[in-house]
Amino acid sequence: MPVDFSGTWNLISNDNFEGYMVALGIDFATRKIAKMLKPQKVIKQDGDSFYIHTTSTFRDYLLQFKIGEEFEEDNKGLDNRKCKSLVTWENDKLVCVQTGEKKNRGWTHWLEGDDLHLELRCENQVCKQVFKRA
Ligand code: VLP
């Protein structure tokens, strides 16, 4: 049985979100707002189907996918660049590769103790986020 990421999670730390946003080409004004946010994630995991809703007072982002099935991702409200995304299990880590205009784009989710971890990658930048259960 794989790990279960289901639940409501609140951001507690966010290292190099600025570098990640710069790599994505997010403009200065948007970055100033975005870096102040404390997003919440609601994750629903049902077999190989995932629902990850990231919400904030500024913008929301909903991602739904099935493990091993490539899908078109629009990144609406983020950088708005389309990419082809594929999420797979690597041991107990959920790994997403986002193929498109930006090199080395993707993310990894895993659980560590009671915390949810997220590494966001784009070009040569890595952002590290940690969430606690709400
Ligand atoms: C865009 C870059 C901030 C910054 C401007 C808007 C949505 C894994 C994955 C599921 C993400 C989170 C995306 C963060 C990219 C910010 C609005 C912040 C709130 O999560 O959980 O999509 O990619």
mmCIF file of all heavy atoms in Angstrom, residues 74-99:
data_model
loop_
_atom_site.group_PDB
_atom_site.id
_atom_site.type_symbol
_atom_site.label_atom_id
_atom_site.label_comp_id
_atom_site.label_asym_id
_atom_site.label_seq_id
_atom_site.Cartn_x
_atom_site.Cartn_y
_atom_site.Cartn_z
ATOM 1 N N ASP A 74 -2.272 23.161 -17.674
ATOM 2 C CA ASP A 74 -2.302 24.545 -18.195
ATOM 3 C C ASP A 74 -1.642 25.564 -17.260
ATOM 4 O O ASP A 74 -1.365 26.680 -17.677
ATOM 5 C CB ASP A 74 -3.724 24.974 -18.560
ATOM 6 C CG ASP A 74 -4.675 24.971 -17.374
ATOM 7 O OD1 ASP A 74 -4.211 24.830 -16.216
ATOM 8 O OD2 ASP A 74 -5.888 25.101 -17.604
ATOM 9 N N ASN A 75 -1.404 25.171 -16.010
ATOM 10 C CA ASN A 75 -0.764 26.084 -15.043
ATOM 11 C C ASN A 75 -1.458 27.439 -14.981
ATOM 12 O O ASN A 75 -0.812 28.484 -14.796
ATOM 13 C CB ASN A 75 0.724 26.251 -15.365
ATOM 14 C CG ASN A 75 1.483 24.955 -15.191
ATOM 15 O OD1 ASN A 75 1.723 24.523 -14.069
ATOM 16 N ND2 ASN A 75 1.835 24.295 -16.286
ATOM 17 N N LYS A 76 -2.777 27.399 -15.117
ATOM 18 C CA LYS A 76 -3.571 28.633 -15.143
ATOM 19 C C LYS A 76 -3.471 29.386 -13.809
ATOM 20 O O LYS A 76 -3.655 28.805 -12.748
ATOM 21 C CB LYS A 76 -5.038 28.276 -15.441
ATOM 22 C CG LYS A 76 -5.795 29.403 -16.100
ATOM 23 C CD LYS A 76 -7.193 28.940 -16.507
ATOM 24 C CE LYS A 76 -8.005 30.103 -17.028
ATOM 25 N NZ LYS A 76 -7.853 30.291 -18.474
ATOM 26 N N GLY A 77 -3.140 30.664 -13.903
ATOM 27 C CA GLY A 77 -2.985 31.481 -12.701
ATOM 28 C C GLY A 77 -1.607 31.372 -12.085
ATOM 29 O O GLY A 77 -1.266 32.107 -11.163
ATOM 30 N N LEU A 78 -0.796 30.430 -12.603
ATOM 31 C CA LEU A 78 0.593 30.326 -12.141
ATOM 32 C C LEU A 78 1.423 31.020 -13.224
ATOM 33 O O LEU A 78 1.329 32.227 -13.361
ATOM 34 C CB LEU A 78 0.969 28.857 -11.915
ATOM 35 C CG LEU A 78 0.031 28.089 -10.948
ATOM 36 C CD1 LEU A 78 0.480 26.655 -10.776
ATOM 37 C CD2 LEU A 78 -0.078 28.778 -9.594
ATOM 38 N N ASP A 79 2.174 30.279 -14.036
ATOM 39 C CA ASP A 79 2.877 30.947 -15.145
ATOM 40 C C ASP A 79 2.104 30.833 -16.458
ATOM 41 O O ASP A 79 2.546 31.386 -17.475
ATOM 42 C CB ASP A 79 4.294 30.389 -15.310
ATOM 43 C CG ASP A 79 4.294 28.946 -15.771
ATOM 44 O OD1 ASP A 79 3.436 28.174 -15.296
ATOM 45 O OD2 ASP A 79 5.134 28.581 -16.602
ATOM 46 N N ASN A 80 0.977 30.113 -16.424
ATOM 47 C CA ASN A 80 0.113 29.957 -17.602
ATOM 48 C C ASN A 80 0.781 29.269 -18.791
ATOM 49 O O ASN A 80 0.259 29.340 -19.907
ATOM 50 C CB ASN A 80 -0.462 31.310 -18.056
ATOM 51 C CG ASN A 80 -1.362 31.920 -17.009
ATOM 52 O OD1 ASN A 80 -2.346 31.321 -16.598
ATOM 53 N ND2 ASN A 80 -0.999 33.106 -16.533
ATOM 54 N N ARG A 81 1.898 28.603 -18.588
ATOM 55 C CA ARG A 81 2.536 27.856 -19.678
ATOM 56 C C ARG A 81 2.013 26.429 -19.673
ATOM 57 O O ARG A 81 2.023 25.781 -18.637
ATOM 58 C CB ARG A 81 4.052 27.761 -19.471
ATOM 59 C CG ARG A 81 4.818 28.890 -20.070
ATOM 60 C CD ARG A 81 6.316 28.577 -20.008
ATOM 61 N NE ARG A 81 7.043 29.827 -19.964
ATOM 62 C CZ ARG A 81 7.295 30.487 -18.851
ATOM 63 N NH1 ARG A 81 6.943 30.002 -17.677
ATOM 64 N NH2 ARG A 81 7.939 31.635 -18.904
ATOM 65 N N LYS A 82 1.619 25.964 -20.835
ATOM 66 C CA LYS A 82 1.156 24.573 -20.911
ATOM 67 C C LYS A 82 2.357 23.629 -20.875
ATOM 68 O O LYS A 82 3.435 23.971 -21.371
ATOM 69 C CB LYS A 82 0.362 24.352 -22.195
ATOM 70 C CG LYS A 82 -1.007 25.026 -22.155
ATOM 71 C CD LYS A 82 -1.856 24.610 -23.337
ATOM 72 C CE LYS A 82 -3.291 25.063 -23.193
ATOM 73 N NZ LYS A 82 -3.418 26.548 -23.242
ATOM 74 N N CYS A 83 2.141 22.470 -20.302
ATOM 75 C CA CYS A 83 3.170 21.438 -20.346
ATOM 76 C C CYS A 83 2.488 20.071 -20.314
ATOM 77 O O CYS A 83 1.286 19.974 -20.073
ATOM 78 C CB CYS A 83 4.155 21.603 -19.185
ATOM 79 S SG CYS A 83 3.399 21.549 -17.556
ATOM 80 N N LYS A 84 3.267 19.044 -20.598
ATOM 81 C CA LYS A 84 2.777 17.660 -20.477
ATOM 82 C C LYS A 84 3.289 17.142 -19.148
ATOM 83 O O LYS A 84 4.509 17.165 -18.905
ATOM 84 C CB LYS A 84 3.340 16.781 -21.596
ATOM 85 C CG LYS A 84 2.931 17.213 -22.983
ATOM 86 C CD LYS A 84 1.611 16.592 -23.381
ATOM 87 C CE LYS A 84 1.384 16.802 -24.881
ATOM 88 N NZ LYS A 84 -0.015 16.584 -25.248
ATOM 89 N N SER A 85 2.385 16.682 -18.322
ATOM 90 C CA SER A 85 2.778 16.265 -16.981
ATOM 91 C C SER A 85 2.530 14.780 -16.776
ATOM 92 O O SER A 85 1.555 14.221 -17.288
ATOM 93 C CB SER A 85 2.003 17.070 -15.946
ATOM 94 O OG SER A 85 2.286 18.451 -16.099
ATOM 95 N N LEU A 86 3.437 14.176 -16.034
ATOM 96 C CA LEU A 86 3.329 12.752 -15.716
ATOM 97 C C LEU A 86 3.746 12.554 -14.267
ATOM 98 O O LEU A 86 4.831 12.987 -13.867
ATOM 99 C CB LEU A 86 4.238 11.937 -16.641
ATOM 100 C CG LEU A 86 4.290 10.429 -16.347
ATOM 101 C CD1 LEU A 86 2.946 9.763 -16.628
ATOM 102 C CD2 LEU A 86 5.393 9.755 -17.168
ATOM 103 N N VAL A 87 2.861 11.921 -13.506
ATOM 104 C CA VAL A 87 3.162 11.686 -12.093
ATOM 105 C C VAL A 87 3.328 10.177 -11.878
ATOM 106 O O VAL A 87 2.499 9.379 -12.341
ATOM 107 C CB VAL A 87 2.048 12.225 -11.174
ATOM 108 C CG1 VAL A 87 2.444 12.080 -9.708
ATOM 109 C CG2 VAL A 87 1.738 13.693 -11.495
ATOM 110 N N THR A 88 4.403 9.808 -11.210
ATOM 111 C CA THR A 88 4.661 8.397 -10.910
ATOM 112 C C THR A 88 5.100 8.266 -9.447
ATOM 113 O O THR A 88 5.474 9.252 -8.812
ATOM 114 C CB THR A 88 5.777 7.821 -11.807
ATOM 115 O OG1 THR A 88 6.947 8.622 -11.658
ATOM 116 C CG2 THR A 88 5.363 7.793 -13.269
ATOM 117 N N TRP A 89 5.040 7.036 -8.949
ATOM 118 C CA TRP A 89 5.591 6.744 -7.627
ATOM 119 C C TRP A 89 7.067 6.412 -7.777
ATOM 120 O O TRP A 89 7.436 5.630 -8.649
ATOM 121 C CB TRP A 89 4.907 5.521 -6.997
ATOM 122 C CG TRP A 89 3.531 5.736 -6.491
ATOM 123 C CD1 TRP A 89 2.380 5.229 -7.025
ATOM 124 C CD2 TRP A 89 3.146 6.474 -5.327
ATOM 125 N NE1 TRP A 89 1.303 5.623 -6.269
ATOM 126 C CE2 TRP A 89 1.741 6.383 -5.216
ATOM 127 C CE3 TRP A 89 3.852 7.215 -4.364
ATOM 128 C CZ2 TRP A 89 1.028 6.997 -4.189
ATOM 129 C CZ3 TRP A 89 3.143 7.823 -3.346
ATOM 130 C CH2 TRP A 89 1.746 7.716 -3.261
ATOM 131 N N GLU A 90 7.879 6.995 -6.919
ATOM 132 C CA GLU A 90 9.266 6.554 -6.783
ATOM 133 C C GLU A 90 9.404 6.173 -5.315
ATOM 134 O O GLU A 90 9.545 7.035 -4.453
ATOM 135 C CB GLU A 90 10.263 7.655 -7.175
ATOM 136 C CG GLU A 90 10.338 7.834 -8.692
ATOM 137 C CD GLU A 90 11.395 8.817 -9.156
ATOM 138 O OE1 GLU A 90 12.290 9.167 -8.356
ATOM 139 O OE2 GLU A 90 11.309 9.257 -10.319
ATOM 140 N N ASN A 91 9.296 4.879 -5.041
ATOM 141 C CA ASN A 91 9.134 4.401 -3.674
ATOM 142 C C ASN A 91 7.929 5.124 -3.072
ATOM 143 O O ASN A 91 6.854 5.078 -3.670
ATOM 144 C CB ASN A 91 10.420 4.581 -2.865
ATOM 145 C CG ASN A 91 11.552 3.754 -3.483
ATOM 146 O OD1 ASN A 91 11.376 2.568 -3.735
ATOM 147 N ND2 ASN A 91 12.670 4.389 -3.755
ATOM 148 N N ASP A 92 8.064 5.811 -1.953
ATOM 149 C CA ASP A 92 6.919 6.479 -1.341
ATOM 150 C C ASP A 92 6.821 7.953 -1.723
ATOM 151 O O ASP A 92 6.071 8.700 -1.098
ATOM 152 C CB ASP A 92 6.990 6.347 0.182
ATOM 153 C CG ASP A 92 6.583 4.938 0.630
ATOM 154 O OD1 ASP A 92 5.978 4.204 -0.178
ATOM 155 O OD2 ASP A 92 6.878 4.589 1.784
ATOM 156 N N LYS A 93 7.568 8.345 -2.749
ATOM 157 C CA LYS A 93 7.499 9.743 -3.200
ATOM 158 C C LYS A 93 6.667 9.840 -4.468
ATOM 159 O O LYS A 93 6.734 8.972 -5.341
ATOM 160 C CB LYS A 93 8.909 10.287 -3.459
ATOM 161 C CG LYS A 93 9.736 10.425 -2.195
ATOM 162 C CD LYS A 93 11.051 11.128 -2.448
ATOM 163 C CE LYS A 93 11.773 11.379 -1.114
ATOM 164 N NZ LYS A 93 12.999 12.147 -1.284
ATOM 165 N N LEU A 94 5.901 10.913 -4.539
ATOM 166 C CA LEU A 94 5.080 11.212 -5.705
ATOM 167 C C LEU A 94 5.880 12.190 -6.552
ATOM 168 O O LEU A 94 6.174 13.299 -6.111
ATOM 169 C CB LEU A 94 3.794 11.867 -5.185
ATOM 170 C CG LEU A 94 2.511 11.800 -5.977
ATOM 171 C CD1 LEU A 94 2.132 10.380 -6.335
ATOM 172 C CD2 LEU A 94 1.403 12.458 -5.142
ATOM 173 N N VAL A 95 6.256 11.751 -7.760
ATOM 174 C CA VAL A 95 7.154 12.559 -8.584
ATOM 175 C C VAL A 95 6.457 12.986 -9.865
ATOM 176 O O VAL A 95 5.948 12.143 -10.613
ATOM 177 C CB VAL A 95 8.442 11.771 -8.919
ATOM 178 C CG1 VAL A 95 9.367 12.601 -9.811
ATOM 179 C CG2 VAL A 95 9.162 11.345 -7.647
ATOM 180 N N CYS A 96 6.444 14.280 -10.118
ATOM 181 C CA CYS A 96 5.837 14.827 -11.336
ATOM 182 C C CYS A 96 6.920 15.428 -12.226
ATOM 183 O O CYS A 96 7.740 16.237 -11.776
ATOM 184 C CB CYS A 96 4.821 15.913 -10.993
ATOM 185 S SG CYS A 96 4.043 16.625 -12.471
ATOM 186 N N VAL A 97 6.898 15.016 -13.493
ATOM 187 C CA VAL A 97 7.769 15.626 -14.506
ATOM 188 C C VAL A 97 6.865 16.463 -15.403
ATOM 189 O O VAL A 97 5.855 15.963 -15.922
ATOM 190 C CB VAL A 97 8.517 14.547 -15.324
ATOM 191 C CG1 VAL A 97 9.306 15.182 -16.461
ATOM 192 C CG2 VAL A 97 9.429 13.728 -14.415
ATOM 193 N N GLN A 98 7.207 17.752 -15.543
ATOM 194 C CA GLN A 98 6.408 18.685 -16.343
ATOM 195 C C GLN A 98 7.210 19.072 -17.589
ATOM 196 O O GLN A 98 8.061 19.956 -17.547
ATOM 197 C CB GLN A 98 6.060 19.923 -15.514
ATOM 198 C CG GLN A 98 5.150 19.602 -14.320
ATOM 199 C CD GLN A 98 4.968 20.785 -13.396
ATOM 200 O OE1 GLN A 98 5.942 21.369 -12.928
ATOM 201 N NE2 GLN A 98 3.728 21.142 -13.108
ATOM 202 N N THR A 99 6.929 18.384 -18.693
ATOM 203 C CA THR A 99 7.707 18.592 -19.916
ATOM 204 C C THR A 99 7.118 19.740 -20.725
ATOM 205 O O THR A 99 5.919 19.754 -21.016
ATOM 206 C CB THR A 99 7.718 17.299 -20.750
ATOM 207 O OG1 THR A 99 8.175 16.224 -19.922
ATOM 208 C CG2 THR A 99 8.635 17.440 -21.946
#
